[in-house]
Amino acid sequence: PRYTYLPARLIHRTFHPRKNFALIDKGARAGLYPGLGVIAPEGVVGIIAETTATYSVVYPLFHQGLHVTAELPLHGVYGSTSWKGQVLNQLSLDFIPLYIQVKEGEEVWTGPSTIFPAGLRIGRVARVDPDYAGGFYTITLRTYVDWHRVWSVYVLVPSSP
């Protein structure tokens, strides 16, 4: 689908070890509803979880309950992001098989989903550790969006055909 990019501003954010959230200054009156993607010029921020008439709660990538389909575009393989609650601005990229030759510095983008269009920036690979018993890598990403500094965001509202 095509999207309308609705500008919004973060007016509050948390720095919690497991379940961070942000509050933005747009809500249902602006056409927002739960499940919409939120981005910044630097990359993906998160997903709207709840709305009121004038505000919305956003679960960022740094929330243990949020997983985003992610792609390693150099290889055309998909995984899922997760946050282990340890370090802000770092995510795990899960389910990338060991036969893929992943290197530090590679970009990670959104994969196809109903929330985000494919190809939005998430981050770069910071560390790659093989898990031979599990058959997948343990990959650490450094996100492009800095949770300490993001203020201006855009909500991705699907356009009617």
Side-chain angles (χ1 to χ4, degrees):
R2 296 193 180 277
Y3 296 89
T4 299
Y5 294 76
L6 181 70
R9 192 133 177 90
L10 260 76
I11 55 175
H12 177 75
R13 81 190 81 212
T14 62
F15 299 93
H16 193 272
R18 285 190 289 271
K19 296 182 178 178
N20 287 295
F21 70 90
L23 196 61
I24 60 172
D25 65 351
K26 297 282 190 308
R29 282 191 198 143
L32 303 188
Y33 51 89
L36 296 178
V38 180
I39 63 171
E42 300 81 14
V44 174
V45 173
I47 296 172
I48 291 181
E50 301 172 35
T51 59
T52 67
T54 54
Y55 299 100
S56 295
V57 173
V58 176
Y59 285 175
L61 293 172
F62 316 110
H63 184 287
Q64 283 188 331
L66 183 65
H67 304 277
V68 172
T69 302
E71 178 184 14
L72 286 166
L74 289 178
H75 309 283
V77 296
Y78 300 98
S80 179
T81 65
S82 64
W83 189 58
K84 308 299 187 214
Q86 297 168 342
V87 180
L88 286 168
N89 303 326
Q90 284 188 3
L91 299 174
S92 294
L93 177 59
D94 305 317
F95 309 116
I96 302 299
L98 292 175
Y99 64 84
I100 303 297
Q101 299 297 311
V102 182
K103 294 185 175 37
E104 290 180 11
E106 287 187 34
E107 282 206 273
V108 178
W109 299 347
T110 53
S113 77
T114 58
I115 297 171
F116 296 106
L120 296 178
R121 296 164 30 114
I122 296 174
R124 284 195 181 272
V125 174
R127 184 178 171 138
V128 180
D129 294 305
D131 175 4
Y132 295 109
F136 296 101
Y137 286 109
T138 300
I139 298 175
T140 302
L141 308 180
R142 183 88 178 141
T143 59
Y144 287 122
V145 170
D146 182 343
W147 186 237
H148 298 92
R149 292 187 171 91
V150 65
W151 294 103
S152 296
V153 297
Y154 297 92
V155 181
L156 301 176
V157 181
S159 303
S160 300

